[in-house]
Amino acid sequence: MVESAQRTEHRWPVVAFTVAALGIHALLPDTVRVTPAWLVPAIGAVILVPLLAVNPRRLNRETTWSKWISVALALGLAAMTQVSIVLIIRELVAGRATGPAVLL
C-alpha cells in the first residue's frame, strides 16, 4: 500500500498552477484577450471541479473521462495562452502597447 502511494503524484501542485494560469488570463488587458475576462477562468473551474472530485489528493484513480477532460483542460489552456502571446507580440510590434500592463 505504501509503495502504490509513492508512485502516484500529488494533485495540489497541478491545481495551484492551473488556478494561477486561469487567474493570469483573467488579469490580461482587453487588447490581448479574445474572450471576456471571466470566461476562461469560469470554464477552467467548471472542468477542474469534477477532476478534483474524482482524485482530491493524489492521482491514483484515472478514468477514461477524467483523462480526456484533463487533456482538454491542458490543451485549452495552452491554446488560450498561445493566442494571448501572439496578441501581445502583435501589440508590441505595432507600437500600440500603452504601458507595462500589456506585458503583465
Side-chain angles (χ1 to χ4, degrees), residues 11 45-56 59 61-74:
R11 170 68 84 179
V46 166
I47 293 173
L48 198 57
V49 168
L51 291 175
L52 286 174
V54 171
N55 286 317
L59 289 170
R61 290 177 295 166
E62 187 168 42
T63 63
T64 303
W65 69 268
S66 69
K67 182 178 180 179
W68 284 106
I69 289 177
S70 298
V71 169
L73 177 62

Side-chain angles (χ1 to χ4, degrees), residues 29-103:
D30 290 335
T31 57
V32 294
R33 197 176 332 129
V34 293
T35 61
W38 57 269
L39 188 62
V40 173
I43 292 172
V46 166
I47 293 173
L48 198 57
V49 168
L51 291 175
L52 286 174
V54 171
N55 286 317
R57 293 188 189 149
R58 288 186 172 269
L59 289 170
N60 53 8
R61 290 177 295 166
E62 187 168 42
T63 63
T64 303
W65 69 268
S66 69
K67 182 178 180 179
W68 284 106
I69 289 177
S70 298
V71 169
L73 177 62
L75 290 176
L77 197 54
M80 289 306 297
T81 301
Q82 290 182 2
V83 167
S84 297
I85 289 171
V86 167
L87 292 174
I88 288 171
I89 291 171
R90 191 177 75 184
E91 289 289 312
L92 291 171
V93 170
R96 294 185 301 237
T98 58
V102 76
L103 296 177

Side-chain angles (χ1 to χ4, degrees), residues 10-34:
H10 289 281
R11 170 68 84 179
W12 293 108
V14 175
V15 171
F17 282 107
T18 302
V19 169
L22 293 171
I24 289 171
H25 276 285
L27 296 174
L28 286 174
D30 290 335
T31 57
V32 294
R33 197 176 332 129
V34 293

